[in-house]
Amino acid sequence: MTNSLPLVMLLELAGVVFENLCCGNCDKRLKVNSARTVPDDQKLVTELQTQLVNSVILQSSPDPSVLIALNLAEALDPHVKMQLIEKIKETVVEKNTKEMTSGKVALYVLALQSSCENPDDVTTPENTVNLVSVLEEKTKEEITHFDDYGTLKTTYYQLALDILALCVENSLDVEDASVILAKAALANELEFGGYFSVDTGAVASLALTCVSEMSKIQQSEFVTVIEEALTKITKQILGEQHSNGIIGNIYSTGLAMQALSVTSKFYNPGAWDRVKTTKEVLKEISLGAFNIPAAAAQILPSLVGKTYLDVRDGCGSTITVQYTISNSIVGPSFSYSITVNVPKGSVLLTVLNAAQSAKPNEFSFQTEETSWGPMVVSIHNVQASTNEKTYWQFLSGKKPLDQGVGSYKPVDGEHIRAIFSRY
């Protein structure tokens, strides 16, 4: 049984994080359902985004977790985005950050990072604040308190947020805090009310995954401890699944989905039914379970295939990718090609979205959720069909992809082809 963080804490600290089978090379192993993505499902996600945008516009001091979610979902009009960023900056400068908990500061750092703003130079006409330095100091206070008393000043949930934000910022002060978190996980201390906390475990998974991918950690003995901790946390999260797909409770499920998305190497593919979880979440959205902005912000990233780790790749340099679609099997034959620019580190799904945005008449596409993630089932209104044994095959040049649209990351100058094929 799970006793996850109560919603009152999510309202204070909500902000969390947040693979896709294009059937790049379906390899004839996956049958493609002829049904299209359920329009009502996408409508629910869109309505959730709109609800969040409207809520945050009305706030004098925006919840940073909401801004993170909307940035990851790419749901903000540029003008509205700039308004929210300015409100966030004003909040950071005007409020006494020394009175904030470390986790709250971490959320503001992540909000600015996700907005492609520099959190170590938060400037308004009134003042300038180095928010990264503030977070580093607060994290050191957590470590000192732990060294002196054997407990944290706040909670492991907040420490995990601290580590995640500092890792995304590539701070050198992240290792000591990560050791404490990993050892706490191995000692079954990621609890709330005496039970394993899915929320805490999920954010810890995201934080430790980020740290494990830092070059200096990969070259240290500590990477083994991190992997042991991730293995244990993942097993515990999977152990909190209910028969309807919910993990922990409905409000912890979004974080759990994010965690399981980045720790797939620690469990067998059949251990988590992503489709069932997603369907249940969508049902709960239709019933109004996520009407509170903090709760909506917690679930939105996972519904658009994102996690907080994507904050690392959302800004900076771009790459150029050529994308071609072709069909000579059913209906009128066609072949269209386009060149798009996407942020470096983007997954293939981002390329498809960019092409669709630029030329929707040629590059429209639809996906269907599978246990491996979303699968592309239609491009240019040409639908894959199990009965006809047809599917959309993705290739890099002439080589079939061995990853899906949510995990394959094109490189600069690559030519991605989608060919309607038979199996």
Side-chain angles (χ1 to χ4, degrees):
M1 179 179 180
T2 298
N3 190 342
S4 299
L5 290 178
L7 189 56
V8 64
M9 183 172 287
L10 297 179
L11 287 171
E12 174 196 357
L13 284 177
V16 261
V17 210
F18 327 93
E19 276 174 85
N20 274 329
L21 188 60
C22 59
C23 220
N25 175 17
C26 278
D27 202 18
K28 301 183 182 181
R29 291 172 294 182
L30 292 176
K31 290 187 176 181
V32 182
N33 192 310
S34 60
R36 302 171 65 182
T37 300
V38 181
D40 287 346
D41 289 358
Q42 184 55 51
K43 181 181 178 182
L44 286 170
V45 176
T46 301
E47 288 176 351
L48 191 70
Q49 292 179 172
T50 302
Q51 169 191 319
L52 265 183
V53 172
N54 291 338
S55 72
V56 78
I57 289 175
L58 296 173
Q59 295 174 345
S60 58
S61 179
D63 183 337
S65 67
V66 173
L67 181 55
I68 296 167
L70 291 172
N71 281 334
L72 289 172
E74 300 177 1
L76 284 171
D77 172 88
H79 179 65
V80 174
K81 181 176 178 177
M82 287 308 302
Q83 288 182 321
L84 296 180
I85 291 172
E86 290 306 312
K87 286 184 179 181
I88 288 285
K89 287 182 176 181
E90 289 171 4
T91 301
V92 168
V93 171
E94 292 174 4
K95 285 191 174 182
N96 185 358
T97 54
K98 294 187 181 297
E99 299 300 319
M100 292 183 187
T101 63
S102 62
K104 193 68 173 180
V105 174
L107 286 177
Y108 278 110
V109 170
L110 286 167
L112 290 167
Q113 290 166 329
S114 70
S115 305
C116 300
E117 294 287 329
N118 190 354
D120 63 14
D121 184 17
V122 184
T123 301
T124 68
E126 288 73 31
N127 204 354
T128 297
V129 173
N130 185 332
L131 204 57
V132 176
S133 292
V134 173
L135 181 57
E136 288 173 340
E137 285 302 314
K138 287 186 176 291
T139 304
K140 288 177 182 177
E141 290 175 8
E142 295 277 14
I143 295 171
T144 300
H145 196 279
F146 184 86
D147 290 341
D148 291 342
Y149 303 103
T151 61
L152 294 174
K153 186 175 181 180
T154 58
T155 64
Y156 285 113
Y157 180 87
Q158 296 203 43
L159 183 66
L161 281 174
D162 302 344
I163 294 168
L164 182 58
L166 290 176
C167 177
V168 172
E169 191 64 22
N170 205 27
S171 170
L172 299 176
D173 294 339
V174 75
E175 187 169 349
D176 289 343
S178 300
V179 171
I180 293 174
L181 183 62
K183 289 183 175 180
L186 292 171
N188 294 318
E189 294 176 356
L190 305 186
E191 298 182 341
F192 183 82
Y195 298 94
F196 171 72
S197 168
V198 173
D199 304 74
T200 302
V203 181
S205 288
L206 291 161
L208 292 177
T209 297
C210 182
V211 173
S212 71
E213 295 172 354
M214 297 176 74
S215 57
K216 70 170 186 174
I217 298 297
Q218 291 177 334
Q219 299 169 6
S220 72
E221 296 178 359
F222 180 44
V223 70
T224 302
V225 178
I226 289 183
E227 294 205 344
E228 290 175 353
L230 286 170
T231 300
K232 181 156 191 171
I233 297 171
T234 301
K235 182 178 180 180
Q236 290 174 306
I237 292 174
L238 290 170
E240 298 296 332
Q241 295 181 91
H242 299 283
S243 59
N244 62 357
I246 295 302
I247 306 171
N249 61 48
I250 187 61
Y251 300 110
S252 61
T253 299
L255 284 178
M257 292 175 72
Q258 291 186 51
L260 293 176
S261 295
V262 301
T263 58
S264 58
K265 73 175 183 178
F266 297 107
Y267 62 91
N268 296 324
W272 173 40
D273 190 337
R274 181 176 183 146
V275 174
K276 181 185 288 186
T277 301
T278 302
K279 285 182 177 179
E280 189 65 22
V281 166
L282 290 169
K283 185 182 82 173
E284 291 291 339
I285 291 175
S286 69
L287 296 175
F290 297 97
N291 286 342
I292 298 174
Q298 193 138 321
I299 197 65
L300 178 59
S302 58
L303 292 176
V304 295
K306 296 290 184 72
T307 76
Y308 265 7
L309 299 188
D310 289 300
V311 171
R312 298 174 300 182
D313 304 320
C315 308
S317 59
T318 61
I319 60 171
T320 300
V321 179
Q322 183 180 358
Y323 175 48
T324 299
I325 59 172
S326 59
N327 159 52
S328 59
I329 295 179
V330 300
S333 298
F334 61 80
S335 179
Y336 298 105
S337 189
I338 188 173
T339 298
V340 297
N341 294 315
V342 295
K344 184 178 180 181
S346 294
V347 294
L348 181 53
L349 187 61
T350 303
V351 172
L352 271 63
N353 279 320
Q356 179 175 249
S357 296
K359 293 186 176 181
N361 291 335
E362 286 90 358
F363 296 95
S364 63
F365 73 99
Q366 293 178 330
T367 61
E368 180 178 276
E369 195 70 30
T370 76
S371 56
W372 296 84
M375 175 173 64
V376 173
V377 295
S378 173
I379 298 178
H380 193 66
N381 295 320
V382 175
Q383 192 79 27
S385 169
T386 301
N387 293 334
E388 300 296 328
K389 296 185 176 180
T390 55
Y391 72 104
W392 280 98
Q393 182 183 37
F394 283 77
L395 306 93
S396 174
K398 296 182 179 181
K399 181 181 178 182
L401 302 185
D402 56 6
Q403 293 177 287
V405 292
S407 52
Y408 184 78
K409 296 183 179 182
V411 298
D412 189 37
E414 189 168 2
H415 185 188
I416 298 294
R417 297 192 297 155
I419 301 177
F420 195 57
S421 309
R422 294 190 187 277
Y423 58 89

